[in-house]
Amino acid sequence: MQRDLYIDFAKGIATLSIIFIHTVFWSGQFYVPSEMRVLSLLIDVPLFYALSGLTSGNNVEKTLYRLLKLQITYMIFVTFLFFLDYLFKVFGLHFFGMDEMKNFYSTFGSKYVPQNISDIPQWQNLGNWYLHSYTNADTFPVVMGSFWYLKVYFIMTVFGVLILKFFPKHVRWFIGICLALILLFHFFPHYYPSGQVGYIVVYLGVFLVANTLKGKKIPTKTIPFIYAGIALLLIGMFWNYGSDIFYRMNKQKFPPKIPYVIWSLFSLATLFVLYNRLKIRKDNFINYIGRNAIFYYFAQGMSSSLIYFLVVPLQEKMHWGVLLIFIFAVNIVLAILLAEFLKKIDQLGWKVLEFLKQKTAEN
């Protein structure tokens, strides 16, 4: 089957958007206006769940194998991150001392200053990371701040493929259940569950809607009505919540509530409208990013942490718009370099596992 370059292209755009979001929401807290930070959420993680729905089938074994490979790649990455963070602390304590190290971490903002910087490996952190309990990586705080997506993706994908496998004729019913639960949690917020349940309800709905559109093309005459409906929903949202909901959009994202769902509809609708309509004829670098999105997702957490050290000295010397363009460009370059390096680390990790497999087989 010929690869759909549009899917790769859309994943690449979504990945670059995540890099931009983490540019303006982490180090950008020091200089980027709130309006720009909220506008960045127009193209956000719901696209990844939708793209997963557009490409997923009902093969349970294949899906579970793919998730297992992703889990191993994730474990290789966090193992590398753990030792990198540990070596950085040991080096810093040896050459600079405790006070200088705390001053260093204060660059991230006071809430990221470790209470106890130790030269003893905190092995429990690595174990927690393996199990998707994202305790902070002090040197790279954005990494663990990004990983909520991965845990939700694992759970949502399992639910999604089970529905597609065992209830293929009732997918619309499950979409209706997701919508009903979203409305229930909205009108009766005391029922909104803690943890990731609310995330799964929203993003499983996005996944299933996307899957019903797999291989289809939205009729041209329908497109104006889709965007008109979204415009009406946005007007209704501001009418009901007031204009200040715009500045509270990020809080509506964790966990996702109706205002954030409405805010995400524009990018989701555009993804579906262009699907099977926009033809990407030639491969390009954005497609390459899309095909390697997981490594870029890992890398941007590291690069978005490193750019703090540029923002702090430059924020008073440059206009915020110029600084944002510069920092975003640096973040992209760093993410590209780190992603390519992490691909090498991943390949090495798999070779080590293969070596251990052969050795244990011999014994």
Side-chain angles (χ1 to χ4, degrees):
M1 181 185 295
Q2 187 176 4
R3 190 177 186 94
D4 188 349
L5 295 181
Y6 171 75
I7 297 296
D8 291 336
F9 185 79
K11 283 184 180 179
I13 293 295
T15 302
L16 290 172
S17 177
I18 295 301
I19 296 175
F20 182 71
I21 290 171
H22 289 164
T23 300
V24 301
F25 266 97
W26 288 81
S27 60
Q29 65 183 303
F30 297 118
Y31 69 98
V32 178
S34 298
E35 293 82 358
M36 177 59 70
R37 297 169 72 192
V38 175
L39 286 173
S40 71
L41 298 177
L42 280 171
I43 305 176
D44 203 357
V45 290
L47 285 184
F48 284 106
Y49 297 113
L51 287 163
S52 181
L54 287 175
T55 55
S56 292
N58 61 359
N59 190 321
V60 176
E61 292 80 9
K62 182 178 179 180
T63 300
L64 293 180
Y65 178 69
R66 177 169 57 84
L67 292 179
L68 176 61
K69 288 182 65 179
L70 177 58
Q71 172 67 14
I72 294 172
T73 289
Y74 161 77
M75 293 172 72
I76 292 171
F77 168 67
V78 295
T79 302
F80 165 74
L81 186 76
F82 175 81
F83 285 107
L84 184 63
D85 181 59
Y86 167 67
L87 290 174
F88 185 86
K89 289 175 180 175
V90 170
F91 176 86
L93 287 173
H94 178 74
F95 287 97
F96 300 106
M98 180 68 72
D99 291 338
E100 284 298 319
M101 286 297 291
K102 288 202 171 186
N103 288 335
F104 168 83
Y105 282 114
S106 69
T107 305
F108 295 130
S110 58
K111 65 179 179 178
Y112 302 120
V113 179
Q115 296 301 310
N116 180 30
I117 303 174
S118 173
D119 58 359
I120 301 174
Q122 303 298 305
W123 296 106
Q124 70 275 12
N125 287 343
L126 182 59
N128 285 332
W129 294 351
Y130 284 164
L131 298 175
H132 294 274
S133 177
Y134 306 124
T135 51
N136 194 41
D138 297 321
T139 310
F140 303 98
V142 185
V143 174
M144 294 303 158
S146 305
F147 271 160
W148 67 268
Y149 159 82
L150 200 59
K151 179 162 62 175
V152 173
Y153 174 79
F154 274 107
I155 299 169
M156 180 218 68
T157 302
V158 171
F159 275 110
V161 73
L162 290 176
I163 291 170
L164 296 178
K165 176 68 174 181
F166 296 106
F167 305 98
K169 296 182 180 180
H170 300 88
V171 172
R172 297 182 192 278
W173 283 99
F174 283 96
I175 294 173
I177 291 171
C178 290
L179 179 59
L181 288 173
I182 292 171
L183 293 174
L184 173 67
F185 298 153
H186 173 74
F187 290 108
F188 302 96
H190 53 284
Y191 288 127
Y192 206 114
S194 58
Q196 260 71 44
V197 177
Y199 294 74
I200 300 301
V201 166
V202 172
Y203 296 127
L204 178 60
V206 171
F207 174 93
L208 293 175
V209 168
N211 190 262
T212 63
L213 296 173
K214 184 177 180 179
K216 300 176 182 177
K217 182 178 179 179
I218 293 178
T220 302
K221 62 182 180 181
T222 307
I223 296 174
F225 295 99
I226 292 175
Y227 285 109
I230 294 172
L232 289 174
L233 287 172
L234 285 169
I235 292 170
M237 179 185 73
F238 286 112
W239 181 275
N240 182 63
Y241 289 95
S243 60
D244 64 321
I245 191 63
F246 177 83
Y247 297 98
R248 293 188 284 115
M249 195 59 65
N250 194 48
K251 292 183 178 179
Q252 300 295 311
K253 177 181 176 180
F254 301 109
K257 298 184 178 68
I258 282 184
Y260 178 70
V261 173
I262 294 174
W263 194 247
S264 302
L265 288 178
F266 175 80
S267 61
L268 289 171
T270 302
L271 173 71
F272 298 141
V273 165
L274 295 179
Y275 177 58
N276 281 331
R277 180 172 276 107
L278 175 63
K279 301 297 182 182
I280 306 298
R281 305 293 183 186
K282 295 183 178 180
D283 215 354
N284 55 63
F285 190 67
I286 293 179
N287 290 44
Y288 177 81
I289 292 175
R291 285 195 298 274
N292 296 277
I294 189 61
F295 295 107
Y296 279 84
Y297 204 88
F298 293 162
Q300 62 79 32
M302 299 178 69
S303 64
S304 295
S305 299
L306 294 174
I307 58 175
Y308 272 90
F309 303 109
L310 284 176
V311 167
V312 171
L314 293 178
Q315 61 179 322
E316 301 295 335
K317 300 178 181 178
M318 301 172 67
H319 183 272
W320 73 265
V322 176
L323 180 58
L324 176 58
I325 294 172
F326 173 69
I327 294 296
F328 181 45
V330 170
N331 202 357
I332 291 175
V333 171
L334 285 174
I336 292 171
L337 296 174
L338 286 168
E340 294 304 308
F341 179 72
L342 292 176
K343 286 180 66 178
K344 301 295 183 183
I345 295 294
D346 183 64
Q347 292 168 5
L348 176 62
W350 280 97
K351 287 180 180 178
V352 170
L353 290 174
E354 188 63 31
F355 173 79
L356 294 175
K357 174 186 173 182
Q358 293 174 358
K359 287 298 182 182
T360 53
E362 292 173 359
N363 296 329

